[in-house]
Amino acid sequence: EYSLTRTLNDKEYEKALYDKLLEEANEVINANKKEETEEDENYSMASRILSMELAKIQEKKSQISENETQEVPIQEEEKEEELLNLAQEAGFEAAVLPADRVPTDGKFRAFCEENRCGQYGANFSCPPTCGSPEQMRDKILAKQTALVLKTTWPIANYQDTVAILHGKQTHNRKMLRLNESLGGLCAGGSCCCLCTPCRMKTGESCPYPDLRFSCMSAYCVDVAELCKRCGMTFAWDETLLSVYSMILL
């Protein structure tokens, strides 16, 4: 009745089974203790045998819990490897780290307020409409994993606006295609480019509220520190544009 030989694939069910066995065995042992006397060796022997079986059940349950603990890191490693493979196949240099390890600093909001890109207050996905630095940080922390993406693009210099725009928009489009299979929250290499110009400028509603994305600057991400934490190279190059983004999962 208390056989330990049954093998089940569903570990949660198996653990529940052992919990039930432990409960029933303890009930029997307690009942025996009340009924047996010093002269009743049969009851005493039954209690000892049942106690031994109870110890076996407890040991088996502990082994199940230990095996589950060992499997978690393996599953996480497999998940990270799969994400990296998908990103690399999509043409990105990529890294993975926990979402709560993404460094942010509210002081970076000042760069958006300078409005050099012309999107401040004119794009649904940009400040101040997208949310405060604290609200943007909360969006990151609501996720578990950050898939960090990087591409590089040749440019003549940082006045080469055509090449820079092409690099950023191509990066973002590739990020969106990758995210079609992941279903995460995107932080783009530049502002949302789903509509050009953003419908906010014409006083219309956003036609893609579930697809639009804010840029890394809107999230106040410290990209230099982010690269350091995930092992990516971060450097300014007059003839090479590096574009960074994230998919939060």
Side-chain angles (χ1 to χ4, degrees), residues 76-136:
E76 288 299 320
E77 288 177 8
E78 291 176 349
K79 179 183 176 182
E80 288 185 11
E81 185 176 352
E82 182 181 359
L83 288 173
L84 291 174
N85 288 338
L86 288 171
Q88 289 162 4
E89 289 171 4
F92 293 102
E93 179 184 343
V96 174
L97 79 165
D100 61 6
R101 290 276 295 152
V102 174
T104 60
D105 192 330
K107 71 181 182 183
F108 289 120
R109 178 54 60 90
F111 294 113
C112 287
E113 293 170 351
E114 291 178 4
N115 201 25
R116 294 184 181 183
C117 66
Q119 301 299 317
Y120 187 85
N123 190 305
F124 286 113
S125 65
C126 289
T129 312
C130 65
S132 67
E134 293 76 21
Q135 289 171 325
M136 300 303 279

Side-chain angles (χ1 to χ4, degrees), residues 232-244:
M232 277 186 176
T233 302
F234 179 84
W236 290 100
D237 190 319
E238 281 293 327
T239 59
L240 193 66
L241 172 71
S242 294
V243 183
Y244 301 88

Side-chain angles (χ1 to χ4, degrees), residues 109 111-113 115-133 135-136 139 172 188-193 195 198 200-201 206 212-220:
R109 178 54 60 90
F111 294 113
C112 287
E113 293 170 351
N115 201 25
R116 294 184 181 183
C117 66
Q119 301 299 317
Y120 187 85
N123 190 305
F124 286 113
S125 65
C126 289
T129 312
C130 65
S132 67
Q135 289 171 325
M136 300 303 279
K139 291 181 182 181
N172 285 341
S190 62
C191 67
C192 181
C193 55
C195 301
C198 176
M200 187 176 182
K201 293 181 178 180
C206 175
R212 73 185 186 212
F213 59 91
S214 298
C215 67
M216 298 282 273
S217 295
Y219 280 96
C220 297

